[in-house]
């Protein structure tokens, strides 16, 4: 069984500087990556930008053959450069004086906006098929593009069916086809009894697998026990794949269970740090025993960091992420009834948050993701504000970059840290680091072009998630405005507008696990 349906495009007409298509014709061109059908126009125009907005009549969806900026982030250095793009890949990175301007398509001059690799968000619940009213590929990938996220990796749950069998994976691929505005990869799921599906799903192109050690929130994705985990580890040994853990376990409840359900503290007390500590103890033991890549998703408590560090020092191939909401929101500031802040594990206090920032700075936490987990408004129980009944999940996919930079820029983090934590490490986890997350020749031409200094307020009209009002960030002012997003050399997003339709019928990525990363 092959991965996503890959159709090879035969070249029907040479695309070059003079050739131009009618306004709505579809020019097909050979892509070095047969995964994408590209609608392309080819004219060469250089645009200057002298004000906030990027003045260009370059068509959204156009092929961009070069991007010129006074500020390109190359490694640790920001300097003027021209990124030359060919067939969706970065071809050359030149100084202005070395760039001749002789390219097949259009040249986009973005003035002094910062150019860096697009964000790779490897923890996104798209929930399609089956719960498309909660999000869906069309809305999720537009929200991603508006946030400079050029690759998402979709979680195996909340979709119906969940991605727990080869057949379900192919059904998901079919559903995603023709709806993605950014590159989309997929996690498979581990549930009790599906261990024999894992290797076929690896062959079909999943990035790795996710499992829960506690109730997942949806009945069709049950959590696993130790016996399932040992069987799973045996299946994954030697494959180069990775197992992601929702690391909370049930522990003996010591706190009063019948507090006011509308008080955030009641919910917080129901999910104590010990639940993460005990779950992570299990993960470290399995990881050391089987030497299979393991990853702890959405670490909320700083308390298990010592366990994680000791396991890594003992040779466990173990990584850990935290999320934008644990780094930017605190329990003390969550009002009664504000269930849009509910997620599992919970947002904890400000002291814990400072410890997460310190761990991130010290390299004890590897990456930062959104854990975008939306639902329909009714499930958030905003009417009665009952935290115990409300859906656990936070919507933030569009805002990860400014959310992180708003705090990180004031904590001594550099722009190169943003690329490492939000793009390179997340690409590495997903076995995409050979094509995503770097500005270097041969990498996909995935670019986010943004103003790190500019502030903006999050308004409902500029939110592209399906259920806009559910994000806890509505009304918040952040630092860092995304101006343009380019995915494999195609102009996908520019200042509030999107290319008219998804870029390609098969903008999906079959994954070959990083065997070397074992
Ligand atoms: N079923 C979910 O989407 N769960 C998610 N919900 C959160 N994080 O609150 C998750 O990542 O565990
Ligand atoms: Zn989770
Ligand atoms: Zn999640």
């Amino acid at each position: 069984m092959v991965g996503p349906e890959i159709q090879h495009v035969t070249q029907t007409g040479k695309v070059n500087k003079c050739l131009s298509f009618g306004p709505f014709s579809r020019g097909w061109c050979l892509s070095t990556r047969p995964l994408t059908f590209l609608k392309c126009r080819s004219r060469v125009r250089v645009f200057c930008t002298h004000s906030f907005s990027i003045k260009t009549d370059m068509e959204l969806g156009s092929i961009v053959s070069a991007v010129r900026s006074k500020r390109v982030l190359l490694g640790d250095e920001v300097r003027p450069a021209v990124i030359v793009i060919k067939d969706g890949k970065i071809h050359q990175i030149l100084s202005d004086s070395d760039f001749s301007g002789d390219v097949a398509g259009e040249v986009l001059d973005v003035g002094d906006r910062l150019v860096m690799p697009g964000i790779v968000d490897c923890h996104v619940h798209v929930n399609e098929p089956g719960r498309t009213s909660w999000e869906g590929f069309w809305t999720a990938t537009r929200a991603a593009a508006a946030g400079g996220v050029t690759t998402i990796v979709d979680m195996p749950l909340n979709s119906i069916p969940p991605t727990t069998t080869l057949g379900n994976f192919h059904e998901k691929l079919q559903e995603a086809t023709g709806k993605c505005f950014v590159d989309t990869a997929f996690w498979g799921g581990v549930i009790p009894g599906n261990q024999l599906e894992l290797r076929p799903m690896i062959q079909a192109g999943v990035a790795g697998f996710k499992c829960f050690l506690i109730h997942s929130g949806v009945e069709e994705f049950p959590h696993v026990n130790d016996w399932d985990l040992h069987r799973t580890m045996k299946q994954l040994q030697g494959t180069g794949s990775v197992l992601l853990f929702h690391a909370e376990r049930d522990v003996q409840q010591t706190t009063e269970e019948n507090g006011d359900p509308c008080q955030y503290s009641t919910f917080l007390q129901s999910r104590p740090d010990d639940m993460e500590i005990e779950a992570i103890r299990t993960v470290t033991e399995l990881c050391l025993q089987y030497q299979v890549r393991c990853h702890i998703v959405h670490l909320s408590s700083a308390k298990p960091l010592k366990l994680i560090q000791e396991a890594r020092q003992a040779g466990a191939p173990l990584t850990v992420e935290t999320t934008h909401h644990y780094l930017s929101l605190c329990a003390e500031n969550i009002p009664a009834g504000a269930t849009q802040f509910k997620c599992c594990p919970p947002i904890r206090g400000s002291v814990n948050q400072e410890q997460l920032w310190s761990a991130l700075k010290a390299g004890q936490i590897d990456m930062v993701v959104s854990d975008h987990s939306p639902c329909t408004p009714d499930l958030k129980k905003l009417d009665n504000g009952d935290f115990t009944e409300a859906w656990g999940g936070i919507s933030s996919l569009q805002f990860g970059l400014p959310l992180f930079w708003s705090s990180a820029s004031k904590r001594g983090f550099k722009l190169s840290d943003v690329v490492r934590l939000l793009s390179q490490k997340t690409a590495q986890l997903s076995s995409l680091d050979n094509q995503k997350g770097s500005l270097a020749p041969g990498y996909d031409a995935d670019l986010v072009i943004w103003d790190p200094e500019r502030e903006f307020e999050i308004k409902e009209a500029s939110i592209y998630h399906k259920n806009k009002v559910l994000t806890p960030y509505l009304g918040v002012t952040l630092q860092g405005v995304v101006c343009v997003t380019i995915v494999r050399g195609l102009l996908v997003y520019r200042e509030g507008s999107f290319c008219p339709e998804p870029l390609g019928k098969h903008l999906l990525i079959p994954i070959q696990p990083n065997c070397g990363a074992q």
Side-chain angles (χ1 to χ4, degrees):
M1 278 291 214
V2 293
E5 189 196 351
I6 294 177
Q7 298 174 8
H8 288 271
V9 178
T10 51
Q11 184 160 352
T12 56
K14 186 162 172 40
V15 174
N16 60 35
K17 200 183 298 188
C18 356
L19 189 63
S20 70
F21 296 91
F24 299 107
S25 68
R26 298 175 69 83
W28 303 109
C29 56
L30 180 67
S31 155
T32 51
R33 294 179 58 81
L35 285 177
T36 52
F37 287 84
L38 313 179
K39 188 165 71 169
C40 44
R41 308 171 65 90
S42 64
R43 284 192 294 274
V44 176
R45 262 169 291 149
V46 180
F47 305 98
C48 295
T49 58
H50 301 295
S51 65
F52 263 142
S53 74
I54 294 198
K55 293 201 178 337
T56 164
D57 58 0
M58 185 186 281
E59 293 261 314
L60 283 154
S62 299
I63 288 184
V64 180
S65 284
V67 174
R68 175 191 282 119
S69 173
K70 295 187 179 68
R71 294 199 292 173
V72 178
L73 180 62
L74 297 165
D76 276 333
E77 194 193 353
V78 175
R79 61 179 165 80
V82 178
I83 299 173
V84 181
I85 298 166
K86 210 170 177 182
D87 292 331
K89 294 276 189 184
I90 295 174
H91 180 59
Q92 290 174 302
I93 299 178
L94 302 171
S95 66
D96 218 350
S97 52
D98 289 345
F99 176 57
S100 69
D102 179 21
V103 286
E106 310 202 40
V107 179
L108 181 64
D109 185 321
V110 296
D112 62 358
R113 269 127 208 97
L114 186 87
V115 182
M116 65 184 218
I119 306 301
V120 176
D121 191 337
C122 57
H123 193 150
V124 179
H125 297 266
V126 180
N127 305 334
E128 182 177 7
R131 291 196 174 97
T132 311
S133 58
W134 292 22
E135 188 59 89
F137 289 102
W138 183 277
T139 46
T141 56
R142 282 158 71 93
V149 176
T150 50
T151 303
I152 64 170
V153 190
D154 170 53
M155 280 288 166
L157 74 159
N158 306 333
S159 56
I160 301 174
T163 318
T164 49
T165 69
L166 181 62
N168 292 355
F169 178 40
H170 281 132
E171 183 176 344
K172 179 161 277 191
L173 291 176
Q174 284 305 326
E175 287 294 332
T177 297
K179 296 175 189 164
C180 295
F181 285 78
V182 300
D183 272 356
T184 304
F186 300 88
W187 297 115
V190 168
I191 58 173
N194 82 325
Q195 282 65 33
L196 295 182
E197 294 281 349
L198 306 187
R199 287 181 178 227
M201 282 199 270
I202 292 171
Q203 290 309 313
V206 296
F209 298 92
K210 167 80 174 293
C211 69
F212 276 69
L213 303 185
I214 196 168
H215 194 283
S216 71
V218 290
E219 292 312 316
E220 70 279 357
F221 199 95
H223 64 285
V224 289
N225 62 29
D226 291 347
W227 185 74
D228 300 312
L229 286 168
H230 285 281
R231 285 186 66 206
T232 298
M233 284 297 177
K234 292 186 177 92
Q235 284 297 320
L236 295 183
Q237 273 185 315
T239 64
S241 193
V242 60
L243 183 56
L244 284 62
F245 293 80
H246 177 115
E248 286 182 291
R249 291 201 91 149
D250 284 317
V251 295
Q252 291 310 315
Q253 280 297 28
T254 52
T255 52
E256 189 56 39
E257 288 200 0
N258 51 11
D260 176 353
C262 295
Q263 289 302 320
Y264 183 74
S265 55
T266 305
F267 168 63
L268 180 57
Q269 285 160 21
S270 75
R271 312 287 290 213
D273 300 76
D274 282 353
M275 290 174 70
E276 290 189 76
I277 293 170
E278 289 316 312
I280 289 170
R281 196 185 312 283
T282 300
V283 176
T284 58
E285 289 163 358
L286 285 163
C287 192
L288 280 168
Q289 178 180 350
Y290 289 97
Q291 290 296 309
V292 166
R293 276 202 299 150
C294 293
H295 180 72
I296 294 159
V297 299
H298 53 44
L299 178 77
S300 164
S301 170
K303 289 193 168 57
L305 280 164
K306 190 167 180 303
L307 261 177
I308 295 168
Q309 201 171 359
E310 286 166 353
R312 291 185 348 171
Q313 284 161 353
L318 177 64
T319 50
V320 56
E321 73 187 35
T322 190
T323 75
H324 298 301
H325 35 276
Y326 299 135
L327 292 173
S328 54
L329 301 171
C330 291
E332 297 91 335
N333 303 331
I334 298 176
T339 52
Q340 66 271 38
F341 289 83
K342 178 181 176 179
C343 62
C344 300
I347 292 162
R348 301 187 192 275
S350 53
V351 169
N352 179 75
Q353 184 183 90
E354 284 309 314
Q355 292 164 344
L356 292 178
W357 276 108
S358 304
L360 196 61
K361 178 78 80 145
Q364 294 169 6
I365 295 177
D366 300 285
M367 61 195 84
V368 186
V369 299
S370 67
D371 186 13
H372 178 69
S373 180
C375 64
T376 47
D378 59 308
L379 295 178
K380 267 299 188 185
K381 304 294 179 193
L382 288 165
D383 49 344
N384 64 21
D386 185 332
F387 279 99
T388 57
E389 284 181 14
W391 169 257
I394 284 185
S395 293
S396 68
L397 172 56
Q398 184 179 330
F399 305 115
L401 177 56
L403 269 172
F404 181 73
W405 184 241
S406 296
S407 300
S409 59
K410 300 172 182 66
R411 291 171 177 269
F413 285 79
K414 305 191 302 272
L415 288 164
S416 53
D417 296 318
V418 179
V419 174
R420 175 170 53 85
L421 295 167
L422 275 60
S423 300
Q424 287 170 338
K425 287 294 189 182
T426 47
Q428 193 173 19
L429 174 70
S430 325
S431 300
L432 292 170
D433 51 317
N434 60 349
Q435 66 184 90
K436 303 288 185 186
S438 293
L439 286 192
Y443 277 79
D444 289 349
D446 298 344
L447 307 175
V448 53
I449 298 166
W450 64 304
D451 271 330
E453 299 78 20
R454 216 162 111 207
E455 290 193 344
F456 73 102
E457 183 189 340
I458 295 179
K459 295 196 167 77
E460 188 177 331
S462 56
I463 298 175
Y464 301 101
H465 307 147
K466 181 161 279 182
N467 298 301
K468 295 168 176 277
V469 294
L470 290 185
T471 179
Y473 300 106
L474 197 57
V476 169
T477 295
L478 295 177
Q479 183 184 334
V481 174
V482 173
C483 305
V484 171
T485 302
I486 292 171
V487 179
R488 289 206 241 176
L490 289 161
L491 183 60
V492 173
Y493 170 82
R494 182 185 57 230
E495 297 180 319
S497 300
F498 298 89
C499 57
E501 61 190 56
L503 301 177
K505 282 184 60 146
H506 298 280
L507 211 57
L508 308 169
I509 308 165
I511 300 286
Q512 302 314 323
N514 274 344
C515 294
Q518 265 286 21

